[in-house]
Amino acid sequence: MLDMRQERPSASRSLSGRRSKIYLRRLMWIAAAGLAVIAAWCATLYFIIVGFDGVPKQGAAVRADTGIVLGASLWNNEPSPGLKERLDYAFQLYKEGVFPRFIVTGGLDHNGSTLTEAEGMRNYLVEKGVPGEAVSMDTQSRSTYENLLFAKQIMDENGWASAVIVTHNYHGARAADIAETVGYDPVQVRVTDSEVLMIPYHEAREVLAFTKWLGNKLFL
């Protein structure tokens, strides 16, 4: 005759094993669903980033009271190659009469620079022939949000109503969204390609930066 005391622990272990497998499957489905949502989110932002072509679209007539060049790193107190691309494009727009003056933005880098990004940018533009009095500086900002917020304050202090924001393609969509949030009206963003930056890296990094911005935006 079977000993019932020996059967019960065996049945209990079997039931526990089945429950563990069910829980494991559920966890795997939840993890897979989460990964699918994250992948869809990243893909959506990526296509927004790479599809941005300026506001209004490139080729449309744009005029403004000032041009805002968004900051990037200095190398040895001079604009990095990527920052020079932004400045050169902004200078081209200035020469074309799109705007009569500049606001350059960016605080002090923690890379050994003794000038702020804005100071390095102003020096570069002055060397290209822009009058010093035509370049206003925001030397405190540490992010794209602060770039545009502090530049807007400079505009308000001087009675300038409109601006063209200048940056790289990969950065334009987030810059436009921030500008709208800060209160730029109209939002006008001009973007340039790059021949010196690793664009796939910057586009991938921008997905994370855009996600972070959208999260921060909820608490503004």
Side-chain angles (χ1 to χ4, degrees):
M1 191 168 98
L2 293 174
D3 188 341
M4 298 301 295
R5 289 175 298 178
Q6 292 179 354
E7 282 189 350
R8 289 193 189 99
S10 177
S12 176
R13 284 195 298 269
S14 178
L15 179 59
S16 175
R18 287 197 297 272
R19 286 176 176 172
S20 296
K21 289 179 180 179
I22 291 171
Y23 292 148
L24 181 59
R25 289 194 195 99
R26 288 176 179 174
L27 286 174
M28 291 176 65
W29 276 110
I30 292 170
L35 289 174
V37 170
I38 292 171
W41 171 266
C42 291
T44 300
L45 279 186
Y46 176 79
F47 284 113
I48 290 172
I49 290 164
V50 300
F52 187 84
D53 193 33
V55 177
K57 293 295 184 181
Q58 297 285 40
V62 171
R63 292 291 183 274
D65 295 330
T66 187
I68 299 172
V69 189
L70 300 182
S73 296
L74 302 181
W75 291 3
N76 297 320
N77 286 334
E78 294 185 359
S80 61
L83 182 53
K84 286 181 180 179
E85 289 180 323
R86 295 184 187 181
L87 290 165
D88 289 343
Y89 183 48
F91 181 71
Q92 174 188 327
L93 296 175
Y94 167 79
K95 297 292 286 183
E96 292 172 359
V98 174
F99 46 78
R101 61 182 67 85
F102 296 83
I103 299 175
V104 290
T105 66
L108 190 66
D109 290 328
H110 296 297
N111 62 356
S113 297
T114 58
L115 298 178
T116 63
E117 292 176 2
E119 289 170 322
M121 294 162 76
R122 177 203 57 191
N123 293 347
Y124 184 82
L125 289 170
V126 169
E127 289 174 2
K128 291 178 75 69
V130 178
E133 60 271 19
V135 185
S136 298
M137 294 187 297
D138 145 45
T139 60
Q140 302 301 316
S141 59
R142 303 290 301 172
S143 66
T144 303
Y145 171 71
E146 290 185 350
N147 287 167
L148 291 168
L149 179 66
F150 298 164
K152 184 69 165 56
Q153 292 172 358
I154 293 173
M155 290 174 60
D156 292 343
E157 291 166 3
N158 287 277
W160 303 332
S162 58
V164 170
I165 299 161
V166 179
T167 189
H168 280 100
N169 296 65
Y170 70 86
H171 191 216
R174 178 162 58 101
D177 192 75
I178 293 172
E180 182 177 7
T181 302
V182 170
Y184 286 77
D185 185 18
V187 173
Q188 301 184 118
V189 180
R190 283 283 165 262
V191 292
T192 183
D193 295 324
S194 179
E195 296 181 357
V196 300
L197 298 175
M198 295 179 60
I199 292 301
Y201 164 79
H202 285 282
E203 288 173 344
R205 184 174 179 271
E206 186 64 15
V207 170
L208 300 178
F210 211 144
T211 299
K212 180 182 177 182
W213 154 245
L214 292 175
N216 291 340
K217 182 179 174 180
L218 297 174
F219 299 97
L220 294 179

